[in-house]
Amino acid sequence: MEMRITVNFSSLFRTLAGVDQVELEVAGGVTADRLLSLLAQKYPDLPLERDKTFFLLNGQIAKGDQMIREGDQIRLFQLSAGG
Amino acid sequence: MNGYCGKMLFVDLSTGRHEVQPLEEDLAGQFIGGYGIGAKVLFERMEPGSDPLGPDNIMGFTTGPLTGTGALLSGRYTLVCKSPVTGGWNDANSGGYFGPELKKAGFDAIFIQGASKTPVYLWIHDGEVEIKDAGAIWGKDVIETEEILKSALGEKSLRAAVIGPAGEKLSLMAAVINDGHRAAGRGGCGAVMGAKKLKAVVVRGTQEVPVADPEKLKAVNQEIVDTIKNGPAARIAAAFSTFGTTMMTGASALSGDSPVKNWGGVGIVDYSEEAATRFEGAAMDPRYRVKKYSCAHCPIGCGAIYEVNDGKWPVGETGRPEYETSAAFGCLMLNEDLEALIKCNHICNIYGLDTISAGATVAWAIECYENGILSKADTGGIDLGWGNAEAIVQTTQEMADQSTEFGKTLALGSAGAAQKLGKGAEYLITVKGIELPMHDPRLGPGFTRTYAMDPTPARHVKGGLGLQHMQISDPSKYDPEGKGQADLEATAAQEIINTAGLCLFKNFTGVQNIARKLIPPVTGWHFDAEEERNAGLRIFHMRHAFNLREGMKPGDFPLPKRSVGEPPQTEGPLKGVTVDYKGFNQNFFKAIGWEETTGRPSRSSLEQLGGMEYVIDTLGL
């Protein structure tokens, strides 16, 4: 069964993607890692490296095998030290 | 000697005398520059127990071999002194143009001891040295000071490292400012300069710094530019070039990277997403930016100049707040008012205050007030509250100009204020009196070791695993086992970046091993991974030795409980996180060979490094 997912981009990703958020139709049972792959295909210029991308799922840092459900709040970002 | 002027200037403000001494190649080769040479000189010339605000404290303005040679990303200089906050080693680093101009003026470093009876400034121009009366600039802010100096000396192109009124009044958070908005901020170095009645070090020069292989340097510079433009990190470098360190302020506030509500809050709960985003360069620049700002020899140019001519707090032209400032005066105190952030940043710049410590001190005061520890009687009537922009600006102003008793108290920094008032210690977020910077070890656990055990505590720009950890979500980063060697390697490498004159933001260029690429063509030295590691460890140990000789030991640097998740947060991205900081320390100590209780290095490890004989003898290793 398909579900609609809204992914919010923060900071650098927002700047590079040119959008605040994106909506995707994905199959039920999608994991965080799988969602990341789908986004990497949609936005090939975004540096969506798995080890450097933070995936905030309902306010918590998600593990790659965590399942995404309809209505979940998702935020993606990358971090770097500032001065 | 290539890369160096080969000269160090020693000034005694008590006697008014100065002398020039050679910088020998041995010293340069072993300790590189910056705080490496600075630590060696101060360790050898200072006695333990010297009063940091007394005449025996030596203050150094030091450069690295790359500075002033045209090597890219090398415009930094470092201040060194004994800290009036920690009583131990202090160094603080700044960009802009002062460092290269000091080299052009003919000196690799200036060391200043003694104290003048009346305010003075140093004027150094093409090897000539003068101590001049600073009566006309004492009391002036840093912008006014530079304007007066340029006019008085008839030299528009001079550069100056200046204290503002905060340093003159011995605020323990006082910074030394150059180029109007670049700060050697931390550890109270501005107070040291103020105690010497030294208002400014002013430099101008036309001398060239010799380079061993100019063609090779040109080729390496081109490689750096090509990598920035076309390499794997090109898009990130471009974004950083535009928005600077405020590129990720919003993500940091919501992710657990930035501490929130004096380290007791949670970004996604206590701070609005709208404010977090508003404090990013992408949102601020369209409203306020008038021009780009680049430090000397920097192809990235991550700075910007803003202009604010209306609203509640017009300031005219001012530097764009950096990330640390945006967090310290933002989510740390739940301030959502952008104009207040810009105003507070401007106050800190022109009065000469470290924005990290200043913001953290205001946040501490707010929490004390909210919890009834401070009352309106203490604040002089200011109704301090989380996110109360007017109160935050007024408090910052009073802290900067010390026009009220409350301001004078806060000017001591949060730890000094708590000590003076005899209350509020439970809300301090400091290590040895230094306020923690805006990168939370609960997200980047490697920061625990750096914040506690670097000779300058509570610094995010010193080496270790914190910077790497904060960028990855893999939970294995919380396990300290086996990480000691990696921590050590990262520490040694960062010592070279800092002492060669390089900017930490080489991290955004995508260029690997930048010091090993630039140092050989400039100096003519062989400088491989082993040389880099050994020099880095020598420098690190020299700074550490200064602290050991002052009687300090590892137990003197406990981390505040909130910063390590004791107890852990109950919601948000850091829910349940407690950092095994003892494990990170233990693994590091094992790798570097320090005794756990005393912090003393082994004699054999220092003998192996070479150049540490005086330290071995002095510490009785």
Side-chain angles (χ1 to χ4, degrees):
Chain A
M1 194 168 100
E2 294 234 317
M3 56 183 179
R4 183 165 293 217
I5 301 281
T6 302
V7 176
N8 294 290
F9 291 129
S10 275
S11 297
L12 175 69
F13 286 165
R14 187 191 322 111
T15 300
L16 295 182
V19 293
D20 287 348
Q21 60 180 217
V22 60
E23 281 194 358
L24 296 171
E25 296 274 347
V26 299
V30 71
T31 62
D33 272 350
R34 176 68 188 138
L35 184 57
L36 208 57
S37 299
L38 291 170
L39 285 165
Q41 285 169 35
K42 191 175 169 68
Y43 295 97
D45 288 342
L46 278 192
L48 286 168
E49 304 152 58
R50 185 63 194 96
D51 58 346
K52 284 198 174 162
T53 300
F54 281 83
F55 197 114
L56 219 57
L57 178 61
N58 299 324
Q60 305 295 318
I61 295 172
K63 292 186 182 148
D65 58 1
Q66 233 165 306
M67 300 285 265
I68 312 293
R69 293 183 173 77
E70 187 130 31
D72 278 344
Q73 299 290 314
I74 298 165
R75 180 169 298 284
L76 289 189
F77 50 86
Q78 207 176 76
L79 291 175
S80 194
Chain B
M1 187 167 45
N2 293 303
Y4 297 88
C5 305
K7 292 182 191 164
M8 298 190 290
L9 174 66
F10 290 85
V11 178
D12 187 332
L13 291 179
S14 297
T15 62
R17 293 200 198 96
H18 69 270
E19 69 170 324
V20 178
Q21 292 196 3
L23 170 58
E24 305 288 357
E25 189 144 12
D26 276 353
L27 174 58
Q30 288 178 331
F31 292 93
I32 309 300
Y35 58 59
I37 290 179
K40 182 117 179 12
V41 168
L42 265 60
F43 188 82
E44 288 177 354
R45 289 181 176 237
M46 282 181 66
E47 293 294 327
S50 304
D51 177 5
L53 295 179
D56 294 335
N57 195 358
I58 297 178
M59 185 166 203
F61 293 73
T62 63
T63 67
L66 302 181
T67 311
T69 63
L72 292 181
L73 298 152
S74 69
R76 315 279 308 175
Y77 90 96
T78 306
L79 266 178
V80 297
C81 63
K82 186 177 188 180
S83 168
V85 180
T86 68
W89 175 257
N90 192 48
D91 54 66
N93 188 290
S94 179
Y97 292 79
F98 179 82
E101 198 68 34
L102 172 54
K103 291 279 282 281
K104 282 161 61 184
F107 297 103
D108 299 299
I110 308 169
F111 293 100
I112 303 161
Q113 68 183 69
S116 173
K117 289 195 172 63
T118 56
V120 294
Y121 67 92
L122 271 184
W123 171 218
I124 298 161
H125 46 111
D126 276 328
E128 299 291 316
V129 180
E130 299 175 62
I131 300 175
K132 294 177 82 78
D133 174 57
I137 47 177
W138 196 257
K140 302 288 186 201
D141 72 33
V142 306
I143 308 286
E144 294 167 327
T145 298
E146 262 203 44
E147 285 166 3
I148 294 170
L149 286 168
K150 284 175 178 171
S151 174
L153 296 171
E155 182 53 83
K156 282 194 193 132
S157 302
L158 61 81
R159 300 289 175 176
V162 179
I163 55 170
E168 293 172 9
K169 293 178 188 199
L170 309 185
S171 167
L172 296 183
M173 301 185 291
V176 178
I177 308 288
N178 59 285
D179 301 295
H181 50 87
R182 308 328 299 164
R186 311 226 64 206
C189 44
V192 173
M193 203 157 152
K196 295 185 180 304
K197 294 241 175 350
L198 177 63
K199 177 68 175 175
V201 175
V202 191
V203 293
R204 174 72 180 115
T206 58
Q207 299 176 30
E208 281 201 15
V209 183
V211 170
D213 189 341
E215 286 306 308
K216 179 67 179 163
L217 176 60
K218 199 169 154 188
V220 174
N221 277 348
Q222 190 59 52
E223 183 195 330
I224 292 171
V225 168
D226 290 343
T227 308
I228 290 171
K229 286 204 171 115
N230 306 311
R235 293 203 72 204
I236 297 176
F240 185 67
S241 176
T242 307
F243 300 119
T245 63
T246 59
M247 183 168 76
M248 298 185 201
T249 308
S252 283
L254 301 174
S255 64
D257 177 38
S258 306
V260 175
K261 203 177 177 185
N262 200 35
W263 294 74
V266 176
I268 55 169
V269 175
D270 297 301
Y271 198 57
S272 82
E273 184 172 338
E274 198 217 335
T277 306
R278 203 183 317 132
F279 279 29
E280 291 187 341
M284 296 194 290
D285 278 12
R287 288 176 70 177
Y288 299 117
R289 178 178 169 138
V290 290
K291 55 190 171 194
K292 192 177 183 60
Y293 180 84
S294 303
C295 294
H297 305 300
C298 183
I300 301 175
C302 68
I305 302 298
Y306 279 3
E307 196 168 63
V308 185
N309 291 324
D310 48 30
K312 280 179 286 191
W313 296 292
V315 294
E317 272 203 4
T318 191
R320 175 173 63 196
E322 299 290 344
Y323 161 73
E324 289 283 322
T325 314
S326 301
F329 280 97
C331 54
L332 190 70
M333 54 180 79
L334 302 187
N335 171 38
E336 301 194 357
D337 190 313
L338 179 53
E339 290 179 28
L341 162 66
I342 295 173
K343 174 66 175 174
C344 289
N345 183 56
H346 186 73
I347 290 170
C348 289
N349 282 345
I350 65 171
Y351 281 84
L353 278 176
D354 166 26
T355 57
I356 298 173
S357 287
T361 295
V362 174
W364 167 81
I366 290 173
E367 184 158 22
C368 288
Y369 185 86
E370 291 271 8
N371 286 285
I373 309 279
L374 292 180
S375 64
K376 271 196 183 164
D378 295 305
T379 67
I382 300 177
D383 188 22
L384 260 182
W386 296 116
N388 182 339
E390 283 73 18
I392 286 164
V393 171
Q394 186 179 353
T395 301
T396 304
Q397 181 66 55
E398 291 181 16
M399 192 167 61
D401 62 28
Q402 297 189 40
S403 54
T404 61
E405 280 311 307
F406 183 49
K408 286 188 179 112
T409 299
L410 292 191
L412 298 170
S414 56
Q419 189 178 30
K420 180 179 170 185
L421 294 168
K423 53 189 178 181
E426 61 270 43
Y427 295 120
L428 290 175
I429 309 292
T430 56
V431 177
K432 207 83 167 78
I434 304 286
E435 291 79 7
L436 289 195
M438 302 295 112
H439 291 293
D440 196 322
R442 291 171 289 189
L443 188 76
F447 279 126
T448 53
R449 200 284 301 157
T450 304
Y451 287 171
M453 296 295 143
D454 187 273
T456 47
R459 308 290 186 92
H460 64 294
V461 295
K462 291 294 163 46
L465 297 175
L467 287 178
Q468 184 196 112
H469 284 173
M470 65 166 276
Q471 294 179 74
I472 59 175
S473 53
D474 182 354
S476 70
K477 66 185 177 181
Y478 290 101
D479 181 3
E481 283 311 304
K483 300 236 169 75
Q485 193 58 33
D487 192 354
L488 184 69
E489 302 293 333
T491 297
Q494 189 60 33
E495 295 294 79
I496 302 304
I497 297 295
N498 289 342
T499 54
L502 285 165
C503 179
L504 176 67
F505 297 139
K506 55 93 185 155
N507 290 341
F508 286 100
T509 65
V511 177
Q512 303 298 317
N513 301 317
I514 196 169
R516 282 186 242 156
K517 291 190 162 106
L518 283 169
I519 289 176
V522 167
T523 61
W525 298 340
H526 175 254
F527 195 77
D528 59 14
E530 193 184 343
E531 308 273 0
E532 183 180 65
R533 184 182 181 279
N534 287 341
L537 289 178
R538 238 178 255 125
I539 292 163
F540 188 73
H541 274 107
M542 188 56 75
R543 297 195 293 129
H544 180 58
F546 190 97
N547 285 347
L548 288 178
R549 195 176 62 173
E550 295 293 338
M552 294 179 178
K553 49 191 187 313
D556 295 334
F557 297 81
L559 287 160
K561 288 188 180 303
R562 277 183 188 172
S563 71
V564 296
E566 288 177 355
Q569 291 193 324
T570 56
E571 53 189 340
L574 303 176
K575 177 179 170 182
V577 170
T578 298
V579 181
D580 181 7
Y581 64 93
K582 289 182 185 168
F584 279 102
N585 285 349
Q586 278 159 6
N587 276 266
F588 180 76
F589 276 38
K590 200 164 143 193
I592 201 171
W594 289 359
E595 199 283 318
E596 265 192 47
T597 315
T598 62
R600 287 167 71 84
S602 68
R603 182 188 180 105
S604 59
S605 64
L606 295 195
E607 280 173 340
Q608 228 174 351
L609 288 175
M612 304 296 285
E613 294 75 23
Y614 188 72
V615 169
I616 292 169
D617 288 342
T618 306
L619 296 181
L621 295 174

